[in-house]
């Protein structure tokens, strides 16, 4: 896989902090491609980059905030979503984007994820899901498939994982999609749609972590994961996210699962505020 | 008006337009008042899913340009320590109110305590300095909340209001003057154009001007050790430079920050050193001691952190002893002891919590101190 961030790429270069390159990610890591899809989606969605607030938590994906030339916040582990909630509510003209990993958003930050979805806060959450904690050396995570090897499940994972699209949609998200980083065009389109969509949008980005998770699960080379995604991805827009469970090396259901209209938190708040102001 | 409500009103007078909180006794009335008042003044009040999220949302709102606050009590205060540290590291103005109850753990949820005073100083990990104020009445919490916002905007640091259940729940008359704009401090904004802005390049007072999100500055902030650009730098030197500045911007400006009041200390050789609700009991005890002919006085600590070291040192030259009543088993007394050295004794009058001291207990300690 080419390194999409370090390669000359004129459309996204302007959104990167060139003075911080090279980045820290391993070669073949899935985070870089996800970032370039996001950066291209900014122009595609015609969003004013001055109005984007990008918030990350902690972990390999948490470092995204440090490489994008936008107002960007590298916060605490798990708390990117509530931090972004504060930003967005205090300044509704901002486009709040949370870019973080599965451990950050779903384990330590899981409570915030479901509540932000329930409230339908207007923000886009891009979750790079590589089935483990890469930065700390490959421990089991809330998305590790059953039987996966990790440094803390040396005999195989015995905890069932979360199905993220199902979790997000059951919690109330207005837009839910999943793509792998093999599906760059589809991912870029999904991020574009998500950023335009009012309300809470969630994108589960299945991404390789070749030197850590991949090495422990018989996919040590970047191309191994790509082959896996190519062979096993089933694209079904509108599929019931309940069916989006992921098993070890099993099929990956991808597509746009949820795209609904629901009043956002801001809509409800404005409604109440106008009632209050009518009284005062 | 009760203290919780007076605190909310003080916040609104100070220009606070964002509140995020989580229900907890005895601070819930504060959130309730904010939920009623903020929509009236064009602000936003949100009840978050927990205190971790509340503190995170407050930081986010501050970075979007609003003055922001949260309020809690012991168990929630513990959870807020995580993002309090981020607030210190990102240099985020905001106010955190702790209506203290008696701990540890769930303790006495509806009853008073002062057991979080050292947690206020050291509760989040790493080396830092913080500002903490201790109100003694509803009027005082109104006034100190305005001061707290001013200090937080000026020094770009979270400011803690360390009240307690009695101050929070007691009802007294509160006068709420309209605060003139000139009496409200607003964070310094960058004077340079985007592209030239260095988010952590300090001015002479060691405080850097602050850009907010959405204005085209494209700044980066991180909880990692960072340089003036805000970029992570993992070196001993960068860490030394950053931590020294974060600490020194408070330490070197302490004369501007530290406030205290004194009653009858001019000739006193026994000085009661108290804070929060205990000040009001101590006043009675000092009066009773004076009636007995004991030269007693009272030092009221308004600013708890940074600590009024210099004043205690000076007073230790004249006083024989400090009497320190606390609704805990000894916290601030350790600071008094440190500053008094071997020049004056520091005598703790502990009370484990649930109620305030009786003036008699403090009086007895004053008598004992004369021996
Ligand atoms: S450890 Fe894994 S997730 Fe982290 S940078 Fe390397 S490949 Fe990417």
């Amino acid at each position: 896989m080419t390194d999409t961030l370090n390669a000359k790429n004129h459309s996204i270069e302007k959104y990167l902090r060139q003075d911080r390159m090279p980045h820290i990610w391993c070669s073949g890591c899935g985070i870089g491609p996800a970032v370039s899809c996001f950066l291209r989606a900014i122009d595609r969605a015609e969003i004013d980059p001055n109005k984007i607030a990008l918030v990350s938590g902690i972990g390999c994906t948490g470092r995204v905030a440090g490489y994008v030339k936008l107002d960007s916040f590298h916060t605490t582990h798990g708390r990117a979503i509530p931090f972004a909630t504060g930003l967005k509510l205090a300044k509704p003209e901002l486009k709040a984007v949370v870019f973080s990993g599965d451990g950050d958003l779903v384990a330590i930050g899981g409570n915030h994820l479901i509540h932000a979805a329930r409230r339908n806060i207007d923000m886009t959450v891009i979750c790079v899901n590589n089935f483990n904690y890469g930065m700390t050396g490959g421990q089991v995570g809330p998305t590790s498939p059953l039987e996966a090897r990790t440094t803390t499940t040396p005999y195989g994972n015995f905890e069932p994982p979360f199905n993220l699209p199902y979790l997000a949609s059951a919690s109330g998200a207005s837009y839910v999609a999943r793509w792998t980083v093999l599906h760059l065009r589809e991912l870029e389109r999904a991020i574009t749609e998500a950023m335009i969509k009012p309300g809470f949008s969630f994108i589960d980005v299945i991404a390789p972590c070749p030197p850590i998770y991949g090495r422990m699960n018989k996919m040590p080379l970047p191309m191994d994961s790509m082959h896996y995604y190519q062979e096993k991805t089933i694209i079904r827009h509108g599929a019931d996210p309940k069916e989006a469970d992921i098993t070890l090396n099993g099929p990956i259901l991808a597509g746009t699962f949820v795209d609904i209209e629901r009043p956002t938190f801001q809509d409800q708040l404005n409604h109440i505020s106008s009632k209050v102001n009518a009284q005062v | 008006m009760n203290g919780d409500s007076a605190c909310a009103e003080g916040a609104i007078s100070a220009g606070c337009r964002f509140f995020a909180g989580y229900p907890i006794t005895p601070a819930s009335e504060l959130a309730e008042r904010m939920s009623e008042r903020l929509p009236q003044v064009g602000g936003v009040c949100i009840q978050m899913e927990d205190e971790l999220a509340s503190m995170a949302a407050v930081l986010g709102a501050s970075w979007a340009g609003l003055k922001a606050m949260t309020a809690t009590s012991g168990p929630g205060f513990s959870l807020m320590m995580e993002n309090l540290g981020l607030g210190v590291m990102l240099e985020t103005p905001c106010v955190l109110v702790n209506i203290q109850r008696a701990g540890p753990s769930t303790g006495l949820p509806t009853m008073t305590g002062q057991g979080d005073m050292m947690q206020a100083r050291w509760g989040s990990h790493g080396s830092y300095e913080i500002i903490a104020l201790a109100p003694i009445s509803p009027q005082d919490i109104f006034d100190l909340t305005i001061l707290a916002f001013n200090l937080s905007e000026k020094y770009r640091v979270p400011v803690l209001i360390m009240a307690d259940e009695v101050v929070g729940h007691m009802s007294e008359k509160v006068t709420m003057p309209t605060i003139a704009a000139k009496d409200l401090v607003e964070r310094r904004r960058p004077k340079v154009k985007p592209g030239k802005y260095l988010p952590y390049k300090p001015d002479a007072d060691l405080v850097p001007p602050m850009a907010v999100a959405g204005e085209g500055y494209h700044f980066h902030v991180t909880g990692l050790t960072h340089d003036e650009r805000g970029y992570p730098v993992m070196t001993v030197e960068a860490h030394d430079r950053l931590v020294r500045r974060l600490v020194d911007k408070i330490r070197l400006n302490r004369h501007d920050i530290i406030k205290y009041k004194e009653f009858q200390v001019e000739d006193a050789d026994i000085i009661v050193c108290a804070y929060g609700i205990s000040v009001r009991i101590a006043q009675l005890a000092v009066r009773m001691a004076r009636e007995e002919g004991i030269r007693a006085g009272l030092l009221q600590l308004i600013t708890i952190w940074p600590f009024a070291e210099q004043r205690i040192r000076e007073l230790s030259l004249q006083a024989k002893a400090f009497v320190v009543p606390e609704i805990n088993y000894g916290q601030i007394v350790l600071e008094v002891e440190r500053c008094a050295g071997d020049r004056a004794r520091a005598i703790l009058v502990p009370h484990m919590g649930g109620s305030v001291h009786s003036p008699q207990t403090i009086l007895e300690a004053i008598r004992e101190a004369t021996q």
Side-chain angles (χ1 to χ4, degrees), chain B residues 42-56:
Chain B
V44 177
C45 181
I46 182 170
Q47 182 170 311
M48 296 299 286
E49 52 274 17
D50 56 31
E51 288 90 348
L52 304 162
S54 303
M55 192 64 207

Side-chain angles (χ1 to χ4, degrees), chain A residues 25-240:
Chain A
W25 297 311
C26 312
S27 87
C29 175
I31 299 170
V35 173
S36 38
C37 285
F38 159 65
L39 295 178
R40 277 195 297 270
I42 296 175
D43 287 345
R44 207 164 149 179
E46 296 180 354
I47 292 172
D48 177 357
N50 289 343
K51 297 296 172 200
I52 299 177
L54 186 131
V55 188
S56 292
I58 297 295
C60 293
T61 317
R63 295 303 185 96
V64 169
Y67 297 122
V68 294
K69 211 193 275 174
L70 301 164
D71 292 337
S72 56
F73 301 86
H74 181 217
T75 63
T76 34
H77 200 15
R79 317 298 167 223
I81 288 178
F83 193 102
T85 300
L87 276 162
K88 176 68 189 173
L89 298 186
K91 198 168 196 173
E93 73 204 60
L94 293 175
K95 179 78 235 171
V97 179
V98 168
F99 214 122
S100 221
D102 50 300
D104 183 79
L105 289 167
V106 186
I108 189 165
N111 198 30
H112 312 308
L113 172 69
I114 60 175
H115 285 278
R118 169 180 67 80
R119 295 184 181 110
N120 206 21
I121 303 269
D122 193 6
M123 72 168 67
T124 297
V125 176
I126 301 168
C127 176
V128 175
N129 181 356
N130 55 25
F131 309 140
N132 80 135
Y133 288 87
M135 184 162 273
T136 46
Q139 294 79 17
V140 71
T143 54
S144 308
L146 275 171
E147 291 168 35
R149 302 268 163 168
T150 73
T151 57
T152 46
T153 54
Y155 310 110
N157 177 27
F158 45 89
E159 287 185 24
F162 263 131
N163 165 347
L164 299 189
Y166 186 32
L167 178 68
S169 76
S171 306
S174 289
Y175 182 96
V176 179
R178 173 194 279 158
W179 293 102
T180 79
V181 295
L182 180 70
H183 302 87
L184 292 178
R185 257 178 305 135
E186 292 87 343
L187 178 58
E188 184 188 319
R189 182 165 16 90
I191 298 176
T192 308
E193 287 171 0
M195 289 201 291
I196 292 170
K197 182 89 194 172
F200 189 84
S201 49
F202 182 86
I203 300 172
D204 186 16
V205 184
I206 306 298
C209 168
I212 313 274
Y213 181 84
R215 185 178 43 79
M216 288 185 285
N217 290 284
K218 305 202 180 92
M219 293 191 197
L221 301 173
M223 285 323 287
D224 298 339
S225 300
M226 293 300 138
H227 285 310
Y228 164 50
Y229 299 159
Q230 186 152 34
E231 273 170 33
K232 297 289 178 104
T233 303
I234 301 166
I235 300 174
R236 225 164 68 218
H237 294 294
D240 186 345

Side-chain angles (χ1 to χ4, degrees), chain B residues 14-15 65 67 149-150 153-154 181 184-189:
Chain B
K67 291 185 181 175
F149 273 100
N150 282 348
E153 292 285 319
K154 184 168 183 184
L184 293 179
V185 179
E186 310 292 334
R187 62 193 74 168
R188 274 199 303 277
R189 296 299 180 92

Side-chain angles (χ1 to χ4, degrees), chain B residues 31-89:
Chain B
E32 287 165 1
R33 185 84 174 192
M34 287 306 249
S35 69
E36 183 188 338
R37 294 284 284 116
L38 277 174
Q40 297 172 354
V41 295
V44 177
C45 181
I46 182 170
Q47 182 170 311
M48 296 299 286
E49 52 274 17
D50 56 31
E51 288 90 348
L52 304 162
S54 303
M55 192 64 207
V58 160
L59 299 183
S62 181
W63 278 99
L66 293 190
K67 291 185 181 175
M69 178 168 100
T70 185
T72 188
S73 190
F77 196 55
S78 292
L79 294 184
M80 288 182 183
M81 288 301 127
E82 175 196 65
N83 285 308
L84 180 75
L86 182 66
V88 168
M89 194 64 150

